Amino acid sequence: MKYIYDYIHRGSAICAKLASSFILFFISDFSAAQTSLKGTIKDSTSQEALIGVVISVDSTMNTTTDLNGHYKINVSSGTHTVSYSYITYQSKTIKINASGNEMDGNIVLQPISQGLQTTVVSASLYGKNIEEENVSMQVMKGQTLENTGVHEVDEAMDYVPGVSVVDQQVNIRGGSGWTYGAGSRVLILVDGLPELTPDASDVIWDFLPIEQIQQIEVIKGASSVLYGSGALDGVVNVRTAYPTSTPSTTIGFLQGIYANPSIPGAAWWNGMQQPYFNGLSFMHSHKIKQFDLILSGNLYNEQSYEQGTYDQRARISLTTRYRFKHVDGLMVGVKTSYMYQNNATYLGWANDTSGIIKPLDGLSGPNSTIINALFRRLVIDPFINYYTPGGSRITLQARYFLSSNVDYGSNKGSIAQSYYYELQYQKNFKYHITLTAGAVESNDIVNAALYGTRTEYTQAGYLQLEKKIGDRLTLTGGLRYETAKVDSSIQHSPVVFRAGANYKIAKATYLRASYGEGYRFPSIAEKYISTNVGGINIFPNPSIQPETGYSSEIGINQGIKMGSWMGYADLALFFTQYKQLIDFSFGIWPPADSAGSKTAPKDFHYLGFKSVNVENALVYGADFSYTAAGKILGLPAQLVLGFTPIEPINIDQRDTVNKYESTHPNLSSGQKDSLSKTEILNYRSLFTAKFGFDISYKKLTVGGNVRYNSYMVNMDKIFIGQDPLLYGYEPIPGIAEFRKAHHNGEFIVDAHLSYQTSDAVRVSFIVKNLFNQMYMVRPALLGPPQNFTVQVNIRF
């Protein structure tokens, strides 16, 4: 094994060196030209120079503006189409007739205030209109987060069509179920850097700087070529803002309160202080000559509706960037965040009636499921960006990630550290070709009572090419290879591949198709965790294998104009298949005897959770969304709606059912229907729908959001008393009864109202779960009851 590791290690190092040499080789520009088009691009309102605007000639990215908003491109004689695109600004296209002389290319771009045009960077790693991408994407703007009153980014995901969150774990198009904080098939990024913790590969949503968010970009489908392990089902990229030429300060206050649940007797506070939450956030951004500065922070305190649980946290974030005055295109910077958090959570409820928001087995004692913990998080992210005179881009970014936690009850904890480095190069060639290449290295060190001392070392290289053919067709292809060594065990990904095409059929009609392969290495927690929570065991599985898969889709994006309304409708048909799918299962896990066989236990010593491989699984379905802006009774309005029907199938179970039905031809239709339901993967809703709207009248804005998740057909049988080894025993009472009473799914309505009292002050009133629906987000955990928030935002 040592020789194999040495071979892979050296081979990866050689690949990294080759990638570096490859990058240096292509830094120079090879374009020959007759006419020089140069100018400055500015904001139409503030006249501020815009950095990083993408300039494309004849539909091929040619260059970007430098730190002073300047650009220069050389074009051959003749007529050309030049387009300019920039995030949160309306794209602009001009025609030029190059005749050999220098041409003036000064341009102003209009900010998007209520517009629909959206520029994204996550799928191609440079700015592009969303309808021109060959994968399905969804975008949520920072203003929407403020309007809806979300406190954490995972709350925002509940408003995105095709996306849901199960106990803080993101699920895109039914690709994930529930794994209780161990592993994720969706990679969470902040400005392109991974946010998954080194040990459990989960995301700490509280840690993300929500007050800095410019927009959130969601890629639906396998994205491992560009982003590696963890992007098997897609990517959520949180993009933060940089300062403008005018200094600004934002301060936000919020105060909220929970109402009594609609189940009689469930309100454990019974005359005591009502559960509440409050918070303070701030952000100051300032551009000082060549230096950019953003300082922000967040304080939050919650005494939860769940008895015995609370959340107290403080976070501070700093972003700096220096733009070199005498070296055009060079900038360096550091981003850092630190969070201190003290909270308590519980595994499950006491019962489904009066104990529905009380912890199983009480507030204290050896079997209590309450976990009191102290968390500390720190990231330090230095980066260097260099835009060459010819428009190439070289990026070196690094990250130090420290995650520390202590469980007060057991006085056990963990310290996980991650060192991450990525070198990325992008260049535009003749014949409308864009190259993106990169090399990645990371080193994780974990010291935890739950896992022991573990190390993980990964290396990867990737390459992507994009080719524009004419004005209508864009082709994309890419590949990636990655190795990982956990302690002495070596894992390697297959060489994963992606391909896609986008064809502009008409002025506002885009047809796309894509195929992408993905993989995910098991997290350290999935492999080695060994613990007990309230008498419920969580078992290790050192032999668990990486999961792989692919996703394919065909989609169409159509612009629609009806009267004063302008919108975009998007429909995608998708198919995703997995091998060795990792599932977090609850059941009986007896150890193997000396002969390797297993026997059913006579007691509950081996009852608990364990991460296991499901041999084969697939998810297919449709994903529709519609975004529009217009007027209702003369009032400006916006709306977004979407629905996603899916079929998540355990292929091995389906084969078992088919064999059984073939040997039992006299089964009734009801029996066949019951058998077919056993094929559905656990913890999935077969149909989800979202709807949101905003209407404005002068300084007043009102809006609402509606989401529907259909009945979760399957979960681990032990939760509902159907495990044959336990003779109907339910370790957590009331789950089966609650499911019977709520078999029509969950229908949740939120509403918000805001008033701009002055140019600087905005006051909002937000109601979540307007009709006080009782719903279960995962086994034995109730979703929040009706709650009210008053929010004040001050900008100056």
Side-chain angles (χ1 to χ4, degrees):
M1 291 297 291
K2 179 180 184 299
Y3 297 106
I4 295 175
Y5 171 69
D6 287 342
Y7 176 79
I8 294 176
H9 179 78
R10 291 173 184 173
S12 300
I14 291 171
C15 289
K17 291 178 181 178
L18 288 175
S20 301
S21 300
F22 178 77
I23 289 169
L24 293 172
F25 176 77
F26 282 107
I27 287 179
S28 60
D29 294 306
F30 301 99
S31 57
Q34 296 176 332
T35 300
S36 175
L37 175 68
K38 67 178 183 178
T40 302
I41 303 179
K42 297 181 179 181
D43 181 295
S44 62
T45 303
S46 67
Q47 294 300 303
E48 174 192 359
L50 300 179
I51 303 168
V53 177
V54 175
I55 299 102
S56 300
V57 178
D58 297 329
S59 302
T60 298
M61 189 183 82
N62 189 274
T63 190
T64 57
T65 54
D66 64 18
L67 302 173
N68 298 307
H70 301 326
Y71 75 97
K72 179 180 179 181
I73 53 177
N74 296 318
V75 296
S76 59
S77 297
T79 302
H80 300 278
T81 299
V82 183
S83 61
Y84 304 83
S85 60
Y86 194 53
I87 293 176
T88 72
Y89 283 77
Q90 298 180 26
S91 296
K92 190 168 189 174
T93 300
I94 63 172
K95 292 278 189 180
I96 64 169
N97 187 11
S99 58
N101 299 318
E102 186 174 278
M103 300 184 67
D104 182 4
N106 291 332
I107 294 291
V108 293
L109 296 182
Q110 299 281 343
I112 298 174
S113 54
Q114 299 293 328
L116 293 171
Q117 190 175 38
T118 301
T119 302
V120 294
V121 301
S122 298
S124 300
L125 298 181
Y126 70 87
K128 184 189 289 187
N129 288 340
I130 192 171
E131 65 270 15
E132 297 175 354
E133 287 292 359
N134 54 45
V135 294
S136 290
M137 291 191 68
Q138 207 80 31
V139 172
M140 175 172 280
K141 300 293 181 65
Q143 184 61 52
T144 304
L145 303 180
E146 183 179 312
N147 290 345
T148 53
V150 299
H151 311 146
E152 300 167 12
V153 177
D154 60 327
E155 294 181 56
M157 294 297 97
D158 272 331
Y159 299 124
V160 178
V163 180
S164 60
V165 178
V166 180
D167 196 18
Q168 299 191 358
Q169 293 179 318
V170 179
N171 183 338
I172 295 179
R173 293 175 171 175
S176 303
W178 171 59
T179 56
Y180 196 61
S184 174
R185 296 189 188 98
V186 177
L187 184 60
I188 313 301
L189 308 168
V190 173
D191 295 324
L193 284 170
E195 285 290 330
L196 300 183
T197 58
D199 49 357
S201 290
D202 62 347
V203 62
I204 310 300
W205 296 103
D206 315 327
F207 192 41
L208 307 188
I210 192 168
E211 68 280 352
Q212 290 190 25
I213 292 176
Q214 185 177 63
Q215 68 183 33
I216 301 173
E217 301 176 7
V218 180
I219 302 177
K220 301 175 182 179
S223 304
S224 289
V225 166
L226 290 179
Y227 294 107
S229 178
L232 183 59
D233 282 342
V235 168
V236 175
N237 190 9
V238 176
R239 296 186 53 79
T240 60
Y242 272 102
T244 63
S245 57
T246 303
S248 68
T249 301
T250 303
I251 300 176
F253 307 88
L254 67 89
Q255 177 65 58
I257 190 171
Y258 290 104
N260 290 357
S262 57
I263 297 176
W268 51 266
W269 45 90
N270 192 25
M272 298 184 294
Q273 185 178 33
Q274 206 83 5
Y276 66 91
F277 51 90
N278 49 50
L280 165 69
S281 64
F282 72 92
M283 183 180 75
H284 176 73
S285 64
H286 201 164
K287 180 176 288 187
I288 309 168
K289 294 183 178 180
Q290 306 301 116
F291 184 70
D292 297 338
L293 170 70
I294 293 182
L295 178 66
S296 71
N298 180 277
L299 297 172
Y300 185 77
N301 174 53
E302 178 175 355
Q303 298 299 316
S304 176
Y305 62 93
E306 297 169 335
Q307 187 181 29
T309 70
Y310 59 90
D311 187 14
Q312 299 168 337
R313 63 178 186 264
R315 175 182 48 76
I316 188 165
S317 301
L318 175 68
T319 297
T320 63
R321 181 176 66 177
Y322 183 75
R323 296 166 283 118
F324 285 81
K325 187 174 183 179
H326 300 295
V327 184
D328 287 344
L330 178 62
M331 65 182 78
V332 300
V334 177
K335 300 179 181 181
T336 184
S337 290
Y338 175 78
M339 184 177 75
Y340 178 94
Q341 183 175 31
N342 185 21
N343 71 11
T345 59
Y346 64 58
L347 178 64
W349 65 39
N351 57 62
D352 65 317
T353 54
S354 61
I356 200 166
I357 49 177
K358 296 178 181 178
L360 181 68
D361 292 326
L363 293 171
S364 60
N367 293 325
S368 175
T369 59
I370 286 186
I371 303 173
N372 294 274
L374 172 66
F375 298 90
R376 293 183 178 90
R377 305 278 187 263
L378 171 67
V379 294
I380 302 173
D381 304 334
F383 65 90
I384 302 172
N385 287 333
Y386 179 58
Y387 294 88
T388 70
S392 299
R393 176 177 57 82
I394 303 170
T395 300
L396 175 61
Q397 53 188 357
R399 158 161 289 190
Y400 171 71
F401 190 169
L402 171 66
S403 176
S404 169
N405 66 278
V406 176
D407 181 346
Y408 289 138
S410 63
N411 201 29
K412 296 179 180 179
S414 68
I415 297 177
Q417 299 177 80
S418 177
Y419 301 85
Y420 177 92
Y421 313 92
E422 181 173 6
L423 178 64
Q424 187 180 102
Y425 175 71
Q426 191 168 79
K427 183 174 178 61
N428 306 297
F429 294 94
K430 292 181 180 179
Y431 311 113
H432 310 303
I433 295 175
T434 300
L435 167 83
T436 303
V440 178
E441 180 176 288
S442 67
N443 187 17
D444 300 337
I445 305 168
V446 178
N447 190 343
L450 300 181
Y451 326 121
T453 300
R454 307 288 175 183
T455 59
E456 181 172 5
Y457 180 69
T458 63
Q459 289 182 316
Y462 60 88
L463 175 73
Q464 178 170 287
L465 290 172
E466 185 175 295
K467 165 71 174 174
K468 186 80 174 182
I469 302 175
D471 294 331
R472 295 180 178 271
L473 178 63
T474 303
L475 302 177
T476 303
L479 51 85
R480 183 187 186 103
Y481 176 69
E482 184 164 345
T483 65
K485 181 187 179 186
V486 180
D487 295 339
S488 59
S489 173
I490 298 175
Q491 299 173 322
H492 56 89
S493 74
V495 177
V496 293
F497 173 76
R498 71 165 293 203
N502 184 293
Y503 184 72
K504 186 178 181 180
I505 299 174
K507 182 177 180 180
T509 307
Y510 295 82
L511 180 68
R512 67 179 184 274
S514 65
Y515 170 86
E517 297 172 340
Y519 61 94
R520 185 175 77 85
F521 296 130
S523 68
I524 289 175
E526 288 170 306
K527 291 172 71 73
Y528 299 113
I529 187 170
S530 179
T531 190
N532 180 287
V533 181
I536 298 176
N537 297 302
I538 302 178
F539 294 102
N541 186 359
S543 62
I544 195 169
Q545 298 299 306
E547 54 186 354
T548 60
Y550 71 87
S551 64
S552 58
E553 74 165 55
I554 183 169
I556 187 169
N557 185 285
Q558 177 65 60
I560 301 172
K561 188 177 187 335
M562 295 183 295
S564 66
W565 283 85
M566 174 66 77
Y568 293 95
D570 191 277
L571 174 65
L573 304 178
F574 62 89
F575 182 95
T576 304
Q577 186 159 357
Y578 304 92
K579 292 184 178 180
Q580 299 285 12
L581 181 76
I582 297 175
D583 201 15
F584 198 58
S585 295
F586 193 89
I588 300 293
W589 307 107
D593 60 23
S594 58
S597 62
K598 297 179 180 179
T599 56
K602 301 300 183 182
D603 54 40
F604 298 151
H605 289 163
Y606 307 111
L607 172 67
F609 291 98
K610 186 177 183 179
S611 294
V612 296
N613 289 110
V614 177
E615 288 297 324
N616 295 289
L618 65 88
V619 181
Y620 61 90
D623 191 1
F624 173 80
S625 64
Y626 176 65
T627 305
K631 291 186 177 182
I632 298 177
L633 300 176
L635 303 178
Q638 292 189 86
L639 67 86
V640 59
L641 64 88
F643 57 83
T644 310
I646 64 169
E647 284 290 328
I649 302 298
N650 182 328
I651 296 176
D652 297 326
Q653 177 63 14
R654 185 180 63 181
D655 293 342
T656 300
V657 169
N658 290 339
K659 290 179 182 178
Y660 184 83
E661 290 181 348
S662 66
T663 58
H664 296 78
N666 297 322
L667 293 174
S668 67
S669 59
Q671 289 173 318
K672 290 182 178 180
D673 183 61
S674 296
L675 285 171
S676 67
K677 289 181 179 178
T678 66
E679 303 170 6
I680 298 173
L681 293 170
N682 288 345
Y683 306 111
R684 270 79 168 181
S685 294
L686 302 186
F687 184 83
T688 60
K690 311 287 176 73
F691 173 73
F693 72 94
D694 278 299
I695 301 175
S696 299
Y697 174 70
K698 295 183 178 179
K699 297 182 177 182
L700 180 68
T701 300
V702 296
N705 295 87
V706 180
R707 63 184 186 274
Y708 172 76
N709 295 324
S710 67
Y711 178 69
M712 193 178 286
V713 177
N714 285 334
M715 62 176 56
D716 291 299
K717 293 184 181 301
I718 195 166
F719 283 129
I720 52 179
Q722 295 181 2
D723 193 302
L725 294 177
L726 296 180
Y727 311 104
Y729 170 73
E730 292 182 65
I732 304 178
I735 296 176
E737 289 76 9
F738 188 92
R739 284 168 56 79
K740 289 177 183 178
H742 299 81
H743 61 276
N744 293 321
E746 59 193 53
F747 189 82
I748 309 300
V749 179
D750 301 334
H752 55 267
L753 178 152
S754 62
Y755 185 75
Q756 195 78 33
T757 62
S758 68
D759 291 341
V761 180
R762 188 182 193 194
V763 179
S764 302
F765 179 68
I766 301 144
V767 184
K768 294 185 179 179
N769 195 357
L770 181 64
F771 300 111
N772 207 13
Q773 297 294 305
M774 297 292 97
Y775 62 99
M776 189 166 56
V777 296
R778 55 90 168 157
L781 187 67
L782 191 74
Q786 183 185 69
N787 57 91
F788 307 91
T789 303
V790 175
Q791 183 172 282
V792 179
N793 291 289
I794 305 171
R795 290 183 174 87
F796 55 91

